[in-house]
Amino acid sequence: MKMLIPYVRALKTLVFTRLGKIGWVILCVGLSASLTSCMPEPTNQSKGTIRVSIVPDQEPDIIRERVKNFMAYLEKETGYKFEVIVPTEYQQTLVMFLQKNVDMAWFGGYTFVKASQMGNAVPLISRAADAEFKSVVIVRSDSPYTTLFDLKDKRFSFGSRLSTSAHLMPRAFFKRVQIEPESFFSQVEYSGAHDKTVEWVNNGKIDAGVLNPLVLQSMHLDGRIDPTKIRVIWRSPSYQDYVWAVQPTMGEDLINKIRDAFLKLSYSNEKDKQLLNDMSAHHYVPVGNADFSVLSQIIDELDM
């Protein structure tokens, strides 16, 4: 094993030089998935437990509290226990899925595309809003900025490098208007999560940031941010984003039970409405791989 260390270091240097941090992460995920592909399939499903990983687009504790009642609802509808795992970084959600340490995951669009390409993830269901998702750029309300171009030579933050709404799609849309972040802004940061970006803008660490508008809305509703302190200056065109996906080995009967549980929720029912609000949803719709074809093309175009 020690003899391999110099070769691993050399490989890491090469990958970082050519592809950057994301290239190294994806390579490690691929190697890890390959090494574990010969291991037995998880048996938790047969024991009545479905392990669920959720992409950490906010603080993990906030996400756990947010999904607690919804998981209880899924347990009641399917007869299975749902065990929730919220990692601290986006790529961990992908790694856990590829290593078959979880049976089901809530992915952002980018991480789903990678899970589909590398692990045959099966798309199950999305919020209706996910079919026409948008990113927003925010600034402090007391700042003078009103357009993207006012941010020339200012400090800017994306969210996670693997975030669809807080990195991939904004970068693609910026490119269309000849904005190359690394040369346009004086400083480019990656906060790691949508709520962290809001905090950074609010406390003046950065001048502007891009994020998921549903997270901003939820922060307004639960009091984490005063809505008068933050202003939106740009909204992106729409695109496909978040999705619930399952392992390809999950049985069709169980897949149908889970999908039906999502689809039967109605916003006109007060009890269902609260569950849907917890998930920033109005209603759910079935999705397939074809819904993510445009997103896959954009990933290829950005060489990510």
Side-chain angles (χ1 to χ4, degrees):
M1 183 62 71
K2 289 183 179 179
M3 294 176 62
L4 292 175
I5 291 176
Y7 298 99
V8 172
R9 287 175 177 165
L11 176 61
K12 185 174 182 179
T13 299
L14 175 62
V15 173
F16 262 86
T17 301
R18 296 291 183 87
L19 301 178
K21 180 179 178 182
I22 298 304
W24 177 250
V25 169
I26 296 302
L27 177 61
C28 289
V29 169
L31 290 173
S32 180
S34 297
L35 290 172
T36 57
S37 62
C38 59
M39 297 174 64
E41 294 294 324
T43 58
N44 283 41
Q45 283 182 41
S46 63
K47 294 178 181 178
T49 298
I50 296 174
R51 292 158 301 180
V52 180
S53 181
I54 298 177
V55 67
D57 59 358
Q58 300 184 67
E59 287 290 333
D61 287 344
I62 291 172
I63 294 175
R64 288 188 199 92
E65 184 62 27
R66 172 188 174 193
V67 304
K68 180 174 64 177
N69 292 334
F70 199 87
M71 292 299 114
Y73 163 75
L74 290 180
E75 289 181 354
K76 180 181 177 182
E77 291 296 313
T78 65
Y80 281 74
K81 177 177 174 58
F82 281 72
E83 177 186 329
V84 174
I85 303 166
V86 185
T88 57
E89 296 183 357
Y90 271 57
Q91 61 261 36
Q92 291 173 344
T93 307
L94 180 58
V95 170
M96 285 191 293
F97 191 89
L98 294 176
Q99 291 184 338
K100 303 186 186 304
N101 291 326
V102 294
D103 309 297
M104 178 175 172
W106 192 46
F107 288 116
Y110 178 79
T111 44
F112 166 71
V113 168
K114 289 302 175 186
S116 176
Q117 292 173 344
M118 301 167 69
N120 296 316
V122 178
L124 190 65
I125 203 91
S126 289
R127 298 170 299 191
D130 291 320
E132 297 183 347
F133 212 81
K134 295 185 177 183
S135 302
V136 295
V137 170
I138 60 170
V139 298
R140 282 175 59 102
S141 294
D142 59 4
S143 74
Y145 318 122
T146 58
T147 72
L148 277 181
F149 296 99
D150 292 336
L151 300 177
K152 174 68 174 173
D153 297 326
K154 301 301 184 291
R155 300 165 301 167
F156 187 85
S157 181
F158 292 107
S160 166
R161 292 176 184 271
L162 297 185
S163 172
T164 309
S165 57
H167 183 217
L168 174 72
M169 295 309 294
R171 186 175 283 275
F173 292 129
F174 291 171
K175 186 176 181 180
R176 292 181 184 179
V177 293
Q178 285 75 56
I179 290 178
E180 176 59 43
E182 283 69 25
S183 58
F184 182 83
F185 303 113
S186 64
Q187 179 180 334
V188 175
E189 300 286 347
Y190 292 87
S191 70
H194 302 283
D195 53 353
K196 186 65 68 176
T197 299
V198 177
E199 292 174 15
W200 283 7
V201 171
N202 188 51
N203 65 27
K205 180 175 180 177
I206 55 172
D207 299 304
V210 65
L211 71 148
N212 169 349
L214 297 183
V215 172
L216 180 62
Q217 182 182 50
S218 72
M219 293 178 74
H220 289 164
L221 294 174
D222 63 23
R224 280 181 285 162
I225 190 70
D226 183 342
T228 66
K229 301 294 185 182
I230 297 294
R231 179 163 46 88
V232 173
I233 65 168
W234 178 81
R235 294 180 186 275
S236 74
S238 60
Y239 53 89
Q240 184 79 36
D241 201 353
Y242 291 90
V243 59
W244 287 96
V246 297
Q247 293 284 359
T249 53
M250 183 176 283
E252 186 175 349
D253 288 345
L254 180 52
I255 287 176
N256 289 335
K257 277 186 180 182
I258 296 172
R259 183 189 290 116
D260 289 347
F262 278 93
L263 292 175
K264 72 183 292 187
L265 290 167
S266 171
Y267 208 75
S268 61
N269 178 295
E270 281 302 315
K271 192 173 181 180
D272 290 354
K273 182 178 180 179
Q274 185 55 57
L275 290 172
L276 289 164
N277 283 339
D278 288 345
M279 306 301 289
S280 298
H282 182 273
H283 64 280
Y284 284 91
V285 294
V287 289
N289 283 311
D291 295 301
F292 295 87
S293 59
V294 172
L295 184 58
S296 296
Q297 291 171 12
I298 289 174
I299 291 172
D300 291 339
E301 290 170 8
L302 290 178
D303 195 24
M304 292 184 66

